[in-house]
Amino acid sequence: MKKATALLTALLLALGLFAGCASSAPAEDPAEESQTAEPVELIVFGAASMTETLTELGSMYMAENDGVTIVFNFDSSGTLKTQIQEGADCDIFISAGQKQMNELDITASADVNTEGLDFVLSDTRFNILENKVALAVPEGNPANINSYDDMVSGLEAGTIMLAMGNSDVPVGQYTQKILAYYELDEEALASAGSITYGSNVKEVTTQVSEATVDCGIIYQTDAFSAGLTVVDTATAEMCGQVIYPAAVMNVSKNPEAAQAFLDYLTSDAADAVFEEVGFTPVA
């Protein structure tokens, strides 16, 4: 009986050791069960006026989407359009004006897309945001400019200096419309030393921030980001609406991932970021 009991005990111990070994065996590597998503790099060309907001939203998106890296290129919309045309890698283009997007869109009027360029991926273009063209002044407003009318009076009297964008960038084009609305001669004012220029809206903003000018015409979002005081905003009658179009480029290596990021930019979370600085979502 004792021998039988001993044998049974030994058998149970052996079975326990076997079960323990089985349970302690390493689990299968999850990577062997399913393929990990391939890393994706998205190159986004954005108007300079979107620098702060897109940078923030890009960080938010990457935090929620493992394997996605977003690289931004910010500059004037005209410069970005030229870079795309000349073959730069670009998945998404967001312009501060319709003109620059139209110049890359084969479906746009030949009067605008004069070179017949075809870079916009079909059915991906839409209007994403609206901005305002703002008259901003340096800290303390030394020249006491409180409206566009004050700006006009000062320019006519030759007592103030205005900063504006070059004619090949949207903010400069909107400013030209404002000057034309008030029947001001831009060339004469520039010759008289009453106007200075910037190659993009950030350069104009810097001139105002550093008080090297008495006022500058920029976007209200850039004024917000720079902590500048806005004394007036232009009406649609003065310069038209400031609408930002967005699209996936047909040269994109990752069009589906690019579209997913554009979709994210129309989400409630993205709208909150845009609205905080003064953009109005229109998508």
Side-chain angles (χ1 to χ4, degrees):
M1 177 64 73
K2 290 181 179 180
K3 289 183 178 180
T5 302
L7 287 172
L8 179 61
T9 301
L11 179 61
L12 290 173
L13 285 171
L15 289 172
L17 288 172
F18 178 78
C21 291
S23 63
S24 62
E28 290 187 15
D29 186 350
E32 295 176 1
E33 296 179 356
S34 61
Q35 293 295 321
T36 303
E38 289 292 325
V40 172
E41 180 180 86
L42 293 178
I43 302 173
V44 179
F45 281 30
S49 52
M50 303 187 74
T51 301
E52 293 80 11
T53 49
L54 277 186
T55 299
E56 180 178 352
L57 288 168
S59 296
M60 291 168 57
Y61 188 79
M62 287 186 285
E64 298 173 10
N65 294 270
D66 291 338
V68 177
T69 300
I70 301 176
V71 178
F72 290 107
N73 177 25
F74 296 109
D75 211 318
S76 72
S77 299
T79 297
L80 297 176
K81 171 261 173 184
T82 298
Q83 291 174 353
I84 294 170
Q85 179 181 352
E86 292 179 347
D89 289 336
C90 176
D91 295 292
I92 294 170
F93 180 34
I94 307 178
S95 171
Q98 300 287 2
K99 179 176 182 291
Q100 290 72 25
M101 187 69 79
N102 284 338
E103 289 173 340
L104 296 173
D105 190 347
I106 195 64
T107 67
S109 168
D111 292 339
V112 180
N113 187 357
T114 56
E115 298 179 71
L117 300 177
D118 183 10
F119 285 89
V120 175
L121 185 63
S122 178
D123 298 325
T124 66
R125 178 177 175 174
F126 67 100
N127 294 330
I128 186 170
L129 298 168
E130 181 178 3
N131 209 338
K132 296 292 184 184
V133 180
L135 181 63
V137 296
E139 184 178 358
N141 193 7
N144 194 31
I145 299 169
N146 297 297
S147 66
Y148 276 111
D149 289 340
D150 287 348
M151 178 199 74
V152 172
S153 297
L155 289 173
E156 290 177 334
T159 57
I160 68 168
M161 177 80 75
L162 166 71
M164 63 177 282
N166 291 338
S167 61
D168 63 338
V169 302
V171 74
Q173 293 157 3
Y174 292 124
T175 303
Q176 288 181 319
K177 292 179 180 179
I178 292 171
L179 296 179
Y181 175 82
Y182 283 105
E183 298 182 346
L184 293 172
D185 187 330
E186 178 192 348
E187 185 176 346
L189 290 170
S191 297
S194 296
I195 294 179
T196 66
Y197 293 90
S199 63
N200 58 49
V201 70
K202 294 301 182 186
E203 288 189 7
V204 180
T205 303
T206 297
Q207 292 182 50
V208 181
S209 296
E210 295 178 349
T212 58
V213 294
D214 298 298
C215 59
I217 298 179
I218 58 179
Y219 298 120
Q220 70 174 2
T221 53
D222 290 284
F224 179 92
S225 297
L228 293 172
T229 298
V230 171
V231 296
D232 205 353
T233 55
T235 64
E237 182 183 7
M238 293 165 64
C239 65
Q241 283 185 288
V242 184
I243 302 295
Y244 287 53
V248 177
M249 297 292 97
N250 59 21
V251 293
S252 172
K253 298 174 183 177
N254 300 288
E256 292 183 2
Q259 184 62 59
F261 181 59
L262 277 185
D263 291 342
Y264 176 76
L265 294 183
T266 66
S267 67
D268 290 342
D271 285 351
V273 173
F274 286 131
E275 289 171 348
E276 184 179 3
V277 301
F279 281 113
T280 300
V282 296

